[in-house]
Amino acid sequence: MALAACARKEDTKPAQDLNASAPASSSSATGSPVAAANDKPTPEKAAGVAGASPDPAAQKPLNVVLITIDCLRADMPWAGYPRPIAPRLTEFAARAVEYTHAYALSSYTSMSVGGFLSGRLPGELKRDGYFFGTYAKENLFFPELLQDAKVFTAAAHAHGYFKKSGLEQGFDAWEIVPNLKWNNTTDENITSPELEAIAERLLSDPRAELGRLFAWVHFLDPHDKYMPHDGISWGKTQRDRYDGEITYTDRYIGKLLDFIAARPWGPRTAVIITADHGEAFGEHKQYVHGFELWENLVRVPLLVSIPGVAPRKIDTPRSAIDLAPTVLDLFGVPTSPDFLGKSLVPEIRGAAEPTRDILVDLPATSDNDRKRAFLHGNLKVIAAGEADLAQVFDIKEDPGELSPIRGTDATKEIVALYKERQRSIRDVPPTKCKEGCLNGGYRKK
């Protein structure tokens, strides 16, 4: 979440394809219908693929529910974490297509969410420039395109930031848990029960029942402050308390998934589960999130369940920049030429997985300098400030990013690739925070 002081620093156009990886098949198909053809993303036209069912319901158009979970790290039980802290999400992962190397667009909510809704880097969007960023109406968000296509669009949230964020563009229904306590340094609310109830109510709207729907539900409880919950205890450390929050949130995500499955339209609904960013527990002497672009902050889960598509793992790195074109593709709605990502639907249905470089963007705000991360193969550049002072890490050999590498041909090559990619970014200066924004060419000289 976009909380200015909670993310403490101390204890406190797409690039070329590379690094392809063949998917490892896991279990059998779900038996649900397939909603669109491989060769043309039109939901009204069904096609048989591996694991698909010939059910006549395959001819019906898809709905899409996007569930995002604040602060959800990539190291979850289905990815090897030893504690069974999320049984319902683990169950969902077993029947979904799992992206094992997925990246958020930034390291805190405001920038990450603005980016994936727009299909662009957050630094390319018109915004005021404050840490709790407000986005301008001139930005195009993908729900606006769904709305134009007569899709019912609804969203449920659990933090006061979303009241005046500008992120509500394109939503027919936009609701926030009421009576929230505001604290710009942390989050002291427990919201999953009320949020899940709002989501059920929105999904029961006649417009959802009778037509096509897109719903976005953002669960917030894993966010610091890690609140206690009766009957849940993994210990007393920060990570222990966070794990308890994951367990608590998992229950309500499971309840929402059960509700969706029980609706008449449930069998023709695709569900995407991901996170806006990760979290830190002492890595690089940092706690919570924001301000930096380390792997633990920007690698996130990405699970996609499409009716009729068999579960498996995809190891090729992917970015949340692909969410907008993916959702539009599932609806058969043309994407915007301004969106930078690519639809994941073809590869989820079994097509080749072309490799692409990954870019993560943390624009300058009232609270932080600009930083960007660029991933090319196993190498990662983290570049800071106007001068793009860069460090390079081999995240395969050094996953903790503890030992930057220097002076090799490979480091020179990736820095050159980053600078080339950087030149194509259309940075937009903030509209208001011109004195306070720290970098990116925004501070007055």
Side-chain angles (χ1 to χ4, degrees):
M1 174 43 55
L3 297 180
C6 79
R8 300 182 295 273
K9 296 194 77 172
E10 302 286 336
D11 195 0
T12 62
K13 251 155 211 178
Q16 69 214 55
D17 293 343
L18 38 108
N19 194 31
S21 171
S25 178
S26 55
S27 58
S28 62
T30 61
S32 300
V34 173
N38 283 340
D39 58 345
K40 185 177 181 180
T42 304
E44 290 74 15
K45 178 182 177 183
V49 296
S53 165
D55 193 316
Q59 302 295 329
K60 296 183 178 180
L62 279 179
N63 302 303
V64 181
V65 176
L66 171 64
I67 297 173
T68 52
I69 306 162
D70 215 289
C71 305
L72 190 69
R73 289 170 58 111
D75 56 346
M76 287 290 117
W78 58 89
Y81 188 61
R83 284 178 172 170
I85 60 173
R88 294 305 307 272
L89 285 169
T90 302
E91 177 186 65
F92 181 85
R95 63 177 190 270
V97 173
E98 175 192 351
Y99 281 88
T100 62
H101 291 78
Y103 285 85
L105 274 167
S106 197
S107 60
Y108 79 100
T109 302
S110 175
M111 296 302 158
S112 181
V113 167
F116 80 65
L117 286 176
S118 68
R120 302 189 62 79
L121 300 176
E124 295 181 308
L125 302 179
K126 191 171 183 180
R127 63 205 184 282
D128 62 11
Y130 294 105
F131 193 85
F132 286 92
T134 298
Y135 289 91
K137 292 182 179 180
E138 291 88 337
N139 298 308
L140 174 66
F141 293 156
F142 78 81
E144 296 178 83
L145 299 178
L146 295 177
Q147 211 173 38
D148 291 344
K150 309 304 181 185
V151 175
F152 173 61
T153 55
H157 295 287
H159 193 277
Y161 164 67
F162 289 97
K163 293 179 181 179
K164 297 181 180 179
S165 61
L167 298 169
E168 67 277 7
Q169 294 175 207
F171 286 93
D172 298 305
W174 178 271
E175 292 200 27
I176 300 169
V177 172
N179 304 316
L180 295 170
K181 180 179 180 181
W182 175 262
N183 185 334
N184 71 339
T185 65
T186 189
D187 174 53
E188 302 172 87
N189 300 289
I190 296 174
T191 54
S192 289
E194 291 176 276
L195 180 72
E196 195 278 333
I198 290 172
E200 285 195 17
R201 180 164 48 76
L202 291 175
L203 292 173
S204 300
D205 187 292
R207 291 170 291 180
E209 296 282 358
L210 299 175
R212 305 186 70 191
L213 73 94
F214 168 73
W216 171 33
V217 183
H218 184 73
F219 284 86
L220 200 92
D221 278 327
H223 192 287
D224 172 76
K225 184 178 179 179
Y226 311 125
M227 304 296 284
H229 303 283
D230 291 342
I232 300 174
S233 177
W234 295 100
K236 296 182 179 180
T237 70
Q238 237 187 346
R239 179 65 198 247
D240 294 338
R241 295 194 301 271
Y242 167 87
D243 285 355
E245 288 273 57
I246 297 296
T247 301
Y248 183 74
T249 305
D250 179 80
R251 291 178 179 177
Y252 290 93
I253 292 171
K255 189 173 187 294
L256 180 57
L257 292 173
D258 290 343
F259 176 84
I260 293 167
R263 308 310 293 174
W265 42 262
R268 55 183 178 87
T269 298
V271 178
I272 302 171
I273 298 180
T274 188
D276 53 350
H277 53 77
E279 193 70 302
F281 295 106
E283 298 95 338
H284 302 276
K285 298 182 179 180
Q286 184 184 13
Y287 292 82
V288 198
H289 54 271
F291 300 115
E292 304 289 351
L293 297 176
W294 305 116
E295 288 287 281
N296 56 286
L297 300 176
V298 298
R299 266 192 68 185
V300 295
L302 176 57
L303 308 171
V304 184
S305 176
I306 299 176
V309 176
R312 62 192 178 95
K313 296 181 186 293
I314 294 179
D315 296 323
T316 307
R318 288 293 181 255
S319 164
I321 202 96
D322 299 320
L323 286 177
T326 297
V327 173
L328 292 169
D329 194 352
L330 288 168
F331 281 102
V333 173
T335 190
S336 165
D338 290 332
F339 292 176
L340 300 179
K342 303 289 185 183
S343 172
L344 302 178
V345 172
E347 67 189 35
I348 287 172
R349 290 191 170 128
E353 302 157 18
T355 56
R356 297 193 287 272
D357 295 335
I358 304 293
L359 193 60
V360 186
D361 186 29
L362 181 62
T365 73
S366 56
D367 287 49
N368 60 269
D369 286 334
R370 188 185 76 192
K371 285 188 172 68
R372 286 189 171 124
F374 177 76
L375 292 100
H376 174 89
N378 295 326
L379 296 183
K380 175 181 178 181
V381 172
I382 298 179
E386 295 179 47
D388 283 327
L389 301 175
Q391 288 183 302
V392 179
F393 299 90
D394 185 327
I395 56 174
K396 182 177 181 181
E397 299 298 325
D398 178 25
E401 299 162 289
L402 300 176
S403 302
I405 53 179
R406 300 179 178 89
T408 69
D409 290 343
T411 60
K412 293 175 184 177
E413 177 186 1
I414 190 173
V415 169
L417 285 172
Y418 166 71
K419 290 182 177 179
E420 179 182 357
R421 177 69 179 88
Q422 172 83 335
R423 286 191 288 270
S424 71
I425 298 172
R426 294 179 285 178
D427 280 305
V428 175
T431 58
K432 293 184 179 179
C433 182
K434 296 181 180 179
E435 289 287 353
C437 289
L438 300 174
N439 221 318
Y442 306 148
R443 182 190 292 278
K444 289 184 178 179
K445 304 298 183 183

